[in-house]
Structures are given as C-alpha cells and as structure tokens.
Amino acid sequence: DFKGYEQSFEEMQREILRQLDPSYLKTVSMTTLYDTVFEVQTPLIDGLLQRGTYLFVGSPKVGKSFMMAQLAYHISTGTPLWEYKVRKATVLYFALEDDYPRLQKRLFQMFGAKETGNLYFATECKTVNGGLDYDVVARLKALADSYKVSMLIVHHTRKQKSEDIFDMISGTNGLMGAADGAFVLSKDKRTSNNATLDVAGRDQQDMKIHLVR
C-alpha cells in the first residue's frame, strides 16, 4: 500500500544520508558474506597471473622489456607460457621507453612473422606527476578492478641489496601495500643468460622461477 511504500522510501533516504556521512563505516555480517554469490575471477595465466594490479620490477637492462613482450604476446595469442595455461585476451602494451621501429625489431627477433591482431601498442601517453607512489598504484588498481582486468606496472629496483628480494622494490612499503602482488626479475650478472623471476601476491602462491635464455 501507499503507506508501506512511503515508509520504505523514507528508510532508503535515511540509509543514503547515513552512507554520505564521512564517518560512515560500511560493514557486512558473516551470514550475509556467506549468502553472497561472488563472480569467480579466472586467472589470465594459471598459477602465475591473476586479475588485478601487479608490479613488475627489475634493474635497468635486466630484460624487463623482453619479458613484457613475451607475456603480452602469449596472452594475446593464448599460447602456453613455460607450460602454464594461458587464456587468450586482448592486450594493451604501453612501451613508453620505446619507439615503433625498436618494437618492430624486438618483436620480430622474438616471434618472427607470427603476428597477432589482439596485441596493441602505445609509445606515448600522459605521465603521472611525481612518479609512482601508493596513491597512484591505488588508483590504477581501482581502475583495473572496475574493468576486471590484469594490469602490470613496470618499475625499478633500488640499488641497496636486501635478503628479501621484494624489499628491493623502490618505494616498497607503499607500492606493495597498494598492489595485488609483484614480480621481481633479477640476474647475478647483467650479461648472464640465466635469470630468476620471484612472484608474490595476495591471491598468488609465492614462487621462484628459474629462466634460461
């Protein structure tokens, strides 16, 4: 009836006003949590790359660009990577330190004439003022989560050594807290053909993958 409708509308108004209060704290009961059906997010690469925002970190000239190209190509074609199952998806690669001739040369060296229409490149875009920090990564994560995609942010390590490889991420405390996880690519020597990829994340089992070029 109209009275019941009016009462429901007033309750909805009160709830909206309550949520607009800066001190409002949204909570959910365990019962509601158990009764809620959440959409299952399938990984892009089984056991390696989940949906979300991840840092991909390494020192200069360690091979980050080649690794990004390899990940981008395998995802855009759905080709298995190191025996990990890959789900085919469209990839946008921001190669902001490259130009198109350099990209063409690198991709041809890596994959020959086997091109894919699912891989897009951009070598220019607006930059983030002040560099990469917690707030920037948090905003990028919110963007990735809203579109339910995976985002890899290429970053650098600091010069100081550490027993924990993830402590070598420049700005570790803030960046690791904002992202869903991180990949750290390292070599004992820059000229070595052997590399190690350390992986850690909220929905990702900690891993150490040994790579040979």
Side-chain angles (χ1 to χ4, degrees), residues 34-46:
Y34 274 29
D35 289 342
T36 303
V37 178
F38 296 100
E39 181 181 353
V40 177
Q41 296 294 325
T42 55
L44 272 181
I45 304 177
D46 282 356

Side-chain angles (χ1 to χ4, degrees), residues 59-80:
S59 60
K61 306 299 182 181
V62 76
K64 297 190 297 294
S65 295
F66 281 91
M67 184 63 69
M68 286 296 96
Q70 187 170 18
L71 285 170
Y73 181 83
H74 280 256
I75 292 172
S76 65
T77 59
T79 306

